[in-house]
Amino acid sequence: MALGFFDGLHRGHAELVRTLLGLCGPRGLTSSVFTFANHPEHVLKPDKPFAYLGTVEERLALLDEMGLDEAHLADFTPELAALSARTFLEELIAGRFQAKLLVVGPDYRFGARGEGDVALLKTWTGQRGIELVVVDEVVMGPGKISSSRIRTLIQEGDVEQAASLLGRPYSLGGIVLSGRRLGRTLGFPTANLPLPAGKVQPALGVYATRVRALGQTWEAITSIGLRPTVSPDETVPVIETHIFDADLHLYGETVTIELLKFIRPEKRFDSLEVLRDQIQADLEQVRAWHRDAEQCYEKTRVGDVPLFLLSSRRFAQASLHLVFQTRATPRQLARNALLAEVLTATCRAYPGRTRMALALDNLYGASLDSHAGKSGDIQTLVFSVDALARWTDGSSPFQAACDLLFSVLLDPDWDEKTQAFRDEIVESERSNLLLSLLARANDKLKWTYDRCLELFCGEKVHGLPAIGRAEDLKTITRDDLLEGYRELMHGMQLSAYLGGPVDAPMTEHCVALLNRLPRAVRPRLHPGLLPSDCPAADECRDVTVKTVEQARLALAYDGLPAYYAHQGGPAVLLNSMLGGDVHSLLFDVIREQMGLAYQVFSMSQRFLSSLFILAGVAPEKLEAAEQAIREQVGKLAGGQFDDQLVQRSKMMLISALKAAGDDVSSLLTREVNGRLTGRLMCLKDSIRQIEDVTREQVIACARQMRLRTTVILTGQPEHQAKEKPIL
Amino acid sequence: MKNMTRLPFGCQGQSRHDNLTGKSLITIRHPSGLTLRVLPYPGFVRKFAAAAVPFGSIHTRCRHGRSQVALPSGTAHFLEHCVFSRDDGGGLAGHLAGLGASANAYTTHDHTLYYFSSSDHFEDAFRLWLNALLQPQLDEARVAAEKPIIQAELSQYQDDPDARCSQLLMEGLYQAHPVRTDIGGTAASVASITAQDLSEAFRLFYHPSQLHLTLAGDFDLDSVLGVLDRCLSDANKPHPGPAIPIFPGEPELPCQKDMQLEMDVYVPLFMIGVKDPVRDGRASLNGLEKARRQRTARLVLDTLLSPVSPLYDALYRDGLINDSFGCHFSWDASYGFLACGGESEKPAEAAKRLREGLAAACRDGLDELIFAAQKRAAAGEMVQALDSVEHGGMVQARASLLPVDLFDYPSIYDKIDPVQALSQLSFLADPQAYVTALVTPRR
């Protein structure tokens, strides 16, 4: 059970809830929160008006979306306010809820006059045998994330910063009222809402916004204010929103307005003409802002399938990614990977590989691919098309490629006699995948890495390749594939990502295609819960002797933060400092200074909370190389590195982040990964997170690392005999 | 083409706009003789720079004035390493990392390409990078420090079945031409390289007038030209005069038809190579003609050997090839060959079927529909490439070696017809021109 008010459910709250989910999953516990419908300040300071970041309904909806099993809501009353801390714990936490695990933030207070705190909780839970986890506060920018800080930002109009801390734009919702039609008279029809009672009032002025209405999201401009030019005596602010490029009839409809950027404060104009001119200028400015912002947002939902849109005019190529995700057993990994290859090989409209390839080549080099990936125990199947949005003859290769993608998924090249996928296609794709899997071992470094991963994860699916094991691939049957296909169509989480120079007709076309998918209640993955944790297996050291010129070495360390933890920033920087690129300790010391290896680098395994180090080493230098590599890890833990290493690593990471902003596919991949980890952030915030990492945080992160698995591939049998103490 | 006046530092430039891609290309000639091409990308954060040097692994002998210069195999690759050699600040790569710039380089048969990209501090990074390129440190201490690293790299490739298979193929195709030797040289040749070798190679082949510089991104052009001019002034080297590569006599046909190596592999590999006899006086071709040959070969290969082709489909269906299958055509004034292959559980049969398929294609001609589709795909791919600062910059950097502008490619493609294309690769019809190389598991 997590305890707190969770107003706005900002990133700090989300960290707490995800920690709870991550702990409850493996323990088989029901995850829940206990919270109040009204803020205690309402009762304790009734004369001081309290403004909420979100309504109760919004809070519960967000908690539900995160995957919480239960939410216990109580009204905060004077009677509850008078309850002593001990009574609160005994009667509610232990008595009514029978909590076995509590998750709180470091500042959590409870009981009359806030007499209860984390110290008391520690004592009490210790006595009761209840597990207590105190989640560190999440710091972003100059201080910790708190609801009060966010309220202030909104009141000052800094909705961008507020969104960074919340993890989503601040929004205001309500029912559109019939107004004086002044906007329409001026040439800019608006949908008007009253300011919702009890919610934080933003600074009065003009904002770039998005509007969710009638099942879609629209780019818009919003004025929040008293309308001093036309209503000098007005005292109650009104929200007036003009939606770009859409003539919607919204009177009586419920809409939600997301505040994205503050443009200018409200002001009074001398005349309607001057007002009209200013509105026109505001419209142009906000339209340009939307065009250049290149933000990815949920455009609409087709059944259970969200369609995310990232519009950009800088590129000629558009992309559509259909991302299926599921928790998979080892056999399902193989089945799904084979299914994806079979589906994209051919379809009824273009039966045969050559016809498919010809169709794509005729679309000016469009590509249609499937890719199987894995994050922990979650398999991701991405079916994607990339194609030019428009050709000089006015045609849209992209639109045609999207049609082909849906033909592939919905109208596969079926064997009518067997009512199954064609055997010849299945067998050739099976052979292709098997060969690819086996051929990985031709690359000695990959072989070493795969072996290390397998030993690190033990028997768990986390350690398997994304396409599964050869023994499973060989035995997948026709019926298995059919079952996999049904699961793809009905039983996997699915999200669609559309990016590039995509106009409204193209978007509508994609929506129409998504509508062709069978309607299903698809499961949702919840970061914290899934992907699930994978504690490292027992420590081991494995030496294999083969005929190789160069020895290969793999070291796997655990102890890094969970994939959903906000404290992932220090781990990212640590990896870059240790072995991320040519500036790193491993490259500079092991390769350049000591000449012990040509190839040496590290890679973090976010979903395993681990870090792997890989090296190709001359056999006679193996012992020295292993020792030296471990010493570099020790240097980080001991703080024996200079600031130049920190700065160079930060610069490289930030440069790479900025580069991602110049590539649609990279941006879409960031979105997919952000949602899988629950740490979706705009590029600006990701950059700031790296900038804010301190030396001390890196050292603390390094000190948590423990070497669990060592794998050596060598040509010299004598290496097998030597035992090495684990550092 | 539009002449641009008022370029600083004595530079002369021309600007060209391409209607197909909507992009522009600016070509600038510096008084030193260096050619710079700039692809503007307004609104993009990423910036890219590349320098192409027409000095590769095959340039081991050349005539310079009245003398002949001989360089050990692997000198070009060694020189590439030296540009990045480590100093107290971590070397070029380390210094660039301090500016958030990521640098790399490669050496191939006929050229070396240096490149870097960054999001911020581009001019500082450009200056550092260019200075390292124009004034590398090539003393004996640096050479001694670099040797073990290069030896380790060569040793790594000895475990790589793809690299070993390619090497086998080259040894079968060529008897004497330096293209048969690994790009990095051999352990013995690398051990023999001296600082003098490197200095001589640098003097002959790295003069600014021989360099082709490409920039892509959103720049203040005048400011970047200022950095360029200062670096070139600081380098200030006299032109050495032309160094004409010399190649030994080479038989028209391969010296060995079947090569095989056993290694510790799980999946066998196969490659077939087809030797171009080089009878067509290609040394006198200009840039557009070279580009046309290059693109023609690419179109023919894609028509015959990409997933769109019936031959590919048949081999795939029969389990003889998989997604690892690839092909490329490499050529120069002095050599040319087609190489293709990949993983296969039946490598000998895969190679045999491939040879037969290529021979049949030469008899039957190219499928015109497939050929036309490849032209469309190539046109589209060029537009797509320009979506990326790095990709667009790299395509232009390689085109600069011919030299052509990448905007020339669409008109080049338009003029290629399937009959003429196949005739350019008529050597594919000669069964004597083929070599097969296999890497198989150790018995």
Side-chain angles (χ1 to χ4, degrees), chain A residues 316-317 353 361-362 429 432 435 439 441-442 444 546-547 549-550 552 588 593 598-599 648 655 658 662, chain B residues 45-46 86 89 94 100 119-120 152 156 159 264 266-267 313 316 322-323 343 345 374 376 384 387:
Chain A
Q317 183 168 270
R353 234 172 255 104
D361 284 342
N362 274 322
E429 294 307 327
N432 176 50
L435 215 54
N442 280 4
K444 298 302 182 276
K546 285 182 187 289
T547 311
E549 287 283 326
Q550 221 181 49
R552 292 345 190 253
D588 191 44
Q593 287 185 47
Y598 172 71
Q599 196 179 19
R648 285 185 175 181
S655 189
K658 290 183 178 180
D662 279 348
Chain B
V45 172
R46 201 70 168 154
R86 191 184 187 283
S119 301
D120 302 300
Q156 181 181 278
D159 284 335
D264 214 321
Y266 286 79
V267 175
D313 189 46
Y316 192 98
N322 71 351
D323 285 343
E343 297 151 5
E345 299 239 81
Q374 299 319 299
R376 287 164 75 111
Q384 289 164 23
D387 265 0

Side-chain angles (χ1 to χ4, degrees), chain A residues 62-320:
Chain A
L62 287 167
L63 286 168
D64 182 56
E65 208 175 287
M66 288 186 75
L68 213 59
D69 291 322
E70 294 173 356
H72 301 279
L73 195 67
D75 289 327
F76 191 84
T77 60
E79 291 73 30
L80 204 58
L83 215 58
S84 76
R86 279 268 166 197
T87 310
F88 173 80
L89 291 173
E90 293 291 343
E91 288 189 10
L92 283 173
I93 303 303
R96 189 190 302 179
F97 299 128
Q98 298 178 1
K100 294 188 175 40
L101 159 72
L102 290 181
V103 178
V104 298
D107 296 338
Y108 182 67
R109 306 299 288 244
F110 56 98
R113 292 169 301 282
E115 67 189 11
D117 60 8
V118 165
L120 175 59
L121 260 183
K122 279 182 180 162
T123 308
W124 182 80
T125 53
Q127 289 164 352
R128 283 292 192 137
I130 295 172
E131 191 178 350
L132 173 69
V133 173
V134 181
V135 176
D136 287 339
E137 60 196 20
V138 175
V139 173
M140 214 162 156
K144 70 172 187 177
I145 298 179
S146 69
S147 300
S148 54
R149 182 178 164 200
I150 297 171
R151 282 187 205 104
T152 304
L153 287 168
I154 294 168
Q155 287 160 347
E156 291 171 352
D158 192 350
V159 292
E160 281 180 295
Q161 180 66 355
S164 293
L165 305 188
L166 273 170
R168 79 195 75 80
Y170 178 63
S171 63
L172 301 165
I175 298 175
V176 176
L177 302 177
S178 173
R180 286 156 52 187
R181 302 205 171 223
L182 188 60
R184 198 170 284 277
T185 308
L186 288 171
F188 319 108
T190 59
N192 295 356
L193 300 183
L195 207 60
K199 281 199 75 169
V200 177
Q201 180 181 305
L204 301 186
V206 175
Y207 292 82
T209 56
R210 278 195 294 263
V211 174
R212 276 185 273 131
L214 305 177
Q216 282 207 43
T217 305
W218 314 87
E219 291 172 353
I221 178 173
T222 297
S223 172
I224 301 176
L226 301 170
R227 300 182 289 188
T229 305
V230 299
S231 307
D233 301 326
E234 188 63 73
T235 55
V236 178
V238 145
I239 307 172
E240 299 172 288
T241 298
H242 171 77
I243 297 176
F244 291 115
D245 306 319
D247 188 16
L248 306 175
H249 300 288
L250 295 176
Y251 295 123
E253 297 287 344
T254 302
V255 305
T256 304
I257 297 162
E258 295 177 341
L259 304 182
L260 304 178
K261 182 171 173 64
F262 185 68
I263 301 297
R264 66 165 177 83
E266 180 174 66
K267 61 191 260 201
R268 185 180 176 285
F269 298 96
D270 292 336
S271 68
L272 277 183
E273 286 70 33
V274 175
L275 173 64
R276 181 188 286 119
D277 289 343
Q278 180 60 53
I279 293 174
Q280 184 61 48
D282 290 339
L283 283 173
E284 283 166 19
Q285 183 181 351
V286 172
R287 202 187 266 282
W289 183 88
H290 277 294
R291 182 193 63 222
D292 297 337
E294 295 186 347
Q295 289 189 354
C296 186
Y297 61 94
E298 185 179 314
K299 173 65 179 166
T300 188
R301 205 166 262 257
V302 179
D304 255 10
V305 182
L307 172 65
F308 297 98
L309 176 64
L310 172 66
S311 183
S312 172
R313 292 185 356 169
R314 289 188 293 153
F315 308 99
Q317 183 168 270
S319 301
L320 175 65

